Amino acid sequence: MLRASGWRISDILNLQYDTCLDKTAQGWYLCGDIMKTQVLNHRVPITEEVAAAVQAVIESIKEQSNEQNNPRKYLFVMLDGKRKGRPPESRQISRSLNRLAKWKSIIDDQGRLFHFKNHAFRHTKGIELINNGMNILHVQKWMAHVSPEMTLHYAKILDTTMRKSWEEATKQGIFRIDVVNKRPVKIALADIENEEVIEWEYIRHNLDAVKMELGYCMKPIKQPCPTQANPCLSCRNFCTTPEFVSQYEAEIREKKAVIERGKALGRQVWVDKNQATLERLEPILEALMEGKIHHQAGKKGREYIGEDRSSHAK
């Protein structure tokens, strides 16, 4: 359940057997309260297999429970002893997992006995959701995070993993075509540093990096919004990437439709204001379609590079 839901161990241990499982026309959901961020009646989808396992636990604990040993109807409960009527402690779960690792000789990639940590399941789920293409705002909702910045931690881990894989794949060298001599030229990885890619692990600490409708706000945390406009197309702190192409296409279609309506109704103000926005949107879309990032402040403005990056890494 930790692996399937990505919830904290405390939230799993506080599930109640009569309310933790729900089936809709779309499928099964795990339901419970996320106490750290006070998200009540939180729901995440689970597979048929996980739902079947939960149902088996529900049936078993219901048979054994009564008002004396499980008055709060916990899904996981100690039916006797000092903690009678309460869930087991989280450390009991990790101890059991590590006994399992020793019994089954579960090892890590270095050949050492694997050490389980309850919270690691949450990190694994967050990375999995992002790696499978889920919108980061949807991941934020799934994980019941208060802000997108908390969720970006998983994107940071993913970017680091991807960079290591990329460096491994380019050990033998990477080449560009010299357009003048029309010959391949070997280049160093340090010379490109993931051009046209936001490397989240190197975002400067004083920046917001908040996802918005058409991109990211990279303004300094202590600075008020300099434009007070939406969308912030003219702001040097506004950063957008090719992942937003579809949003820009939709925005441009909408602006063109409003311009046509304005012309038909004789509303010149509509035409002028939307035309001005359209003239900002179209060049940005053109750049995104070429796989480029639009950010007036540039990579140096949002990320640690060169010597700064080396110092940051330390």
Side-chain angles (χ1 to χ4, degrees):
M1 290 176 70
L2 286 169
R3 178 66 178 86
S5 67
W7 288 7
R8 298 175 184 85
I9 182 65
S10 57
D11 298 320
I12 293 293
L13 293 178
N14 277 301
L15 288 172
Q16 296 176 307
Y17 65 70
D18 57 345
T19 58
C20 68
L21 202 59
D22 184 32
K23 187 174 186 182
T24 70
Q26 288 74 42
W28 288 98
Y29 288 83
L30 188 68
C31 313
D33 297 335
I34 308 301
M35 301 311 297
K36 184 174 181 178
T37 50
Q38 287 298 295
V39 178
L40 305 182
N41 301 313
H42 190 49
R43 291 155 50 93
V44 295
I46 56 175
T47 64
E48 292 275 352
E49 292 78 10
V50 174
V54 176
Q55 283 180 307
V57 178
I58 290 173
E59 291 171 8
S60 174
I61 202 64
K62 281 179 72 174
E63 288 180 3
Q64 302 175 68
S65 296
N66 54 50
E67 284 297 321
Q68 285 71 46
N69 63 16
N70 192 8
R72 298 196 61 183
K73 300 181 179 180
Y74 286 120
L75 179 64
F76 300 104
V77 68
M78 305 300 290
L79 297 172
D80 51 38
K82 292 182 179 180
R83 290 187 63 83
K84 180 179 178 181
R86 292 188 291 167
E89 294 179 316
S90 59
R91 59 186 177 184
Q92 290 180 259
I93 308 303
S94 57
R95 279 202 297 261
S96 295
L97 286 169
N98 287 309
R99 282 198 298 270
L100 175 68
K102 188 174 182 180
W103 178 35
K104 294 295 184 178
S105 298
I106 300 173
I107 57 175
D108 62 18
D109 55 3
Q110 302 297 318
R112 296 171 299 198
L113 188 67
F114 190 82
H115 181 71
F116 281 96
K117 295 181 180 179
N118 293 326
H119 206 70
F121 292 98
R122 181 170 174 81
H123 290 294
T124 300
K125 188 64 179 181
I127 295 169
E128 175 192 83
L129 295 175
I130 292 176
N131 201 21
N132 287 335
M134 181 179 280
N135 182 292
I136 201 162
L137 293 180
H138 294 165
V139 178
Q140 177 191 348
K141 183 177 179 181
W142 181 301
M143 307 302 281
H145 283 154
V146 173
S147 67
E149 290 87 344
M150 295 173 69
T151 313
L152 282 175
H153 176 64
Y154 302 121
K156 167 183 169 181
I157 295 172
L158 176 63
D159 285 350
T160 303
T161 303
M162 287 176 64
R163 185 175 183 85
K164 286 180 179 177
S165 297
W166 177 67
E167 289 175 349
E168 184 68 26
T170 54
K171 271 184 177 177
Q172 301 306 314
I174 189 166
F175 297 83
R176 278 187 178 147
I177 299 297
D178 184 325
V179 294
V180 177
N181 299 316
K182 297 182 179 179
R183 296 180 61 184
V185 179
K186 188 173 182 178
I187 57 174
L189 296 181
D191 293 337
I192 56 176
E193 283 189 332
N194 277 0
E195 293 174 350
E196 303 301 346
V197 172
I198 296 178
E199 296 177 273
W200 292 105
E201 68 268 36
Y202 296 114
I203 293 292
R204 295 181 180 275
H205 285 109
N206 67 320
L207 300 183
D208 270 337
V210 175
K211 188 170 185 179
M212 304 173 70
E213 185 178 0
L214 294 176
Y216 298 94
C217 175
M218 295 284 185
K219 75 171 182 63
I221 293 171
K222 295 182 179 180
Q223 176 186 317
C225 178
T227 62
Q228 297 295 320
N230 184 25
C232 330
L233 304 176
S234 61
C235 180
R236 76 182 303 274
N237 299 312
F238 180 68
C239 175
T240 190
T241 66
E243 69 181 283
F244 291 92
V245 164
S246 60
Q247 289 95 314
Y248 276 84
E249 290 174 335
E251 192 75 16
I252 287 172
R253 286 195 299 270
E254 184 179 330
K255 295 301 178 189
K256 287 181 175 179
V258 174
I259 290 170
E260 290 305 313
R261 287 198 296 272
K263 289 178 178 178
L265 296 170
R267 301 291 184 90
Q268 192 59 38
V269 175
W270 293 9
V271 175
D272 293 344
K273 288 187 175 181
N274 285 280
Q275 183 64 43
T277 303
L278 183 63
E279 288 172 3
R280 292 187 183 278
L281 288 166
E282 288 181 326
I284 295 175
L285 176 61
E286 185 177 341
L288 300 185
M289 294 288 285
E290 294 174 359
K292 298 178 181 178
I293 284 179
H294 169 81
H295 188 196
Q296 292 181 35
K299 194 175 187 74
K300 185 176 180 180
R302 69 173 180 268
E303 298 170 31
Y304 297 103
I305 63 174
E307 292 183 3
D308 282 349
R309 177 172 290 198
S310 300
S311 300
H312 170 68
K314 293 177 184 178

